[in-house]
Structure formats: structure tokens, C-alpha cells
Amino acid sequence: PAVPVAAALVQQSAVPGWRGHQWGRGAAYAEQLPQVVVQHIAKERHHLRDNRLPDQTSVTRLFSRFGAVMHGNIGEVVFAEACWIRYRHGLHLILREASGPVTLMFMPGEDAAHEQDLAWQKSSGLIIPTDYGSLAIVAASLEQVDQIRRRIDAALMWGS
């Protein structure tokens, strides 16, 4: 059965410590998931200024590659790609909102034991445990993070 994106907390714990896992050439990732997200955003910050609008079919197809069905609007997507996020491929999306860009990172297999706050420059974020792994939302405020979270829950269903 399909489940909402931000549904049921995962019972597994994140592994603490440093593994020095490589991302690209010569870039090591921190082990803690909030730092992984911040490093990924910083490395790809040029996409925060993207104004291209991928067609809805491309975004829907990208989600389907990861087992999700998009049946509603998640917002105005200006960047959407499958990216290497720490140990495996995930989805990196940027939405254009009135308050500025919102970064979404869908991270299959990244099992967080609980929600985790994060900050990047003037933005606030949250890592949310899900049935498929974790979701990171980084926006201008935590109130906006919560709004985007509800929008994603209403628009996406993940297969199990």
C-alpha cells in the first residue's frame, strides 16, 4: 500500500561518527545527516538561482523512478535531478516560492531515528524520517517548512 511521504517514524538509528565517505572527487561527507544536507546544498548552491521550469511530466517521471506517484502539485519546481546523496541516489528539488527558494532532498535509505533541525545561511530546515528514508526541507522559515511538508504529504504517495 502507498503511504504519505512524512508518515510513520522509522525505528532505526542513524550511525554516528565519521566515515569519510567520498562524494565526487576529493569531497568527504560528514556522517551526521544535517551536515550532509548542508554540504550538498552548498556544493550545488548555483541551482538556487535557477529559473528554468522543468515540465511536469519530467518531474513526475523522476519521482516514479524512486517509487513515488505524484498526484498533486508540490509547487513551482525550478530544479529537479537525481543526485548522489552520501551513499546512494536521491532526489534534489528546488521550488520557487515568494519568500525565496525551497530545497527538498528525498533521501531513500537514510533512516533517521527522529526529526532533526538544520540551518543553512539564513534558512531553516528539518530532516523528517519517512517510510522510504528521510526528507529534508530547507526554507526561509520553519513555518514555511511545515507548509511545504503538508503540501508534499498531499501531493506524493510512495509505494512500499
Side-chain angles (χ1 to χ4, degrees):
V3 293
V5 169
L9 294 176
V10 177
Q11 297 300 316
Q12 299 174 354
S13 297
V15 178
W18 173 261
R19 290 190 187 181
H21 191 81
Q22 297 295 310
W23 174 38
R25 301 189 115 201
Y29 260 145
E31 184 63 32
Q32 299 300 317
L33 200 50
Q35 288 78 22
V36 170
V37 171
V38 167
Q39 286 177 353
H40 191 97
I41 293 170
K43 182 171 174 107
E44 296 190 358
R45 68 180 157 263
H46 57 281
H47 291 301
L48 295 170
R49 294 183 299 277
D50 278 358
N51 285 315
R52 64 186 171 102
L53 298 173
D55 66 87
Q56 191 69 20
T57 304
S58 298
V59 175
T60 301
R61 192 175 311 120
L62 186 59
F63 273 110
S64 71
R65 285 180 41 203
F66 288 86
V69 176
M70 196 163 91
H71 57 87
N73 185 5
I74 63 170
E76 188 175 15
V77 177
V78 295
F79 174 78
E81 286 189 5
C83 289
W84 190 256
I85 304 171
R86 191 154 58 172
Y87 304 122
R88 62 185 51 88
H89 276 102
L91 297 175
H92 181 183
L93 285 86
I94 299 173
L95 307 178
R96 180 172 30 210
E97 297 286 321
S99 62
V102 174
T103 298
L104 305 173
M105 292 176 66
F106 297 87
M107 301 173 285
E110 288 289 354
D111 298 327
H114 54 82
E115 291 185 358
Q116 300 173 57
D117 294 326
L118 65 97
W120 185 73
Q121 295 185 345
K122 295 180 181 180
S123 298
S124 299
L126 189 63
I127 295 174
I128 304 159
T130 65
D131 286 342
Y132 64 84
S134 296
L135 164 64
I137 305 172
V138 182
S141 68
L142 286 176
E143 293 79 19
Q144 187 177 27
V145 167
D146 190 51
Q147 291 170 357
I148 299 295
R149 179 183 189 170
R150 287 192 307 271
R151 191 186 309 161
I152 290 168
D153 279 346
L156 294 173
M157 294 297 282
W158 295 80
S160 56

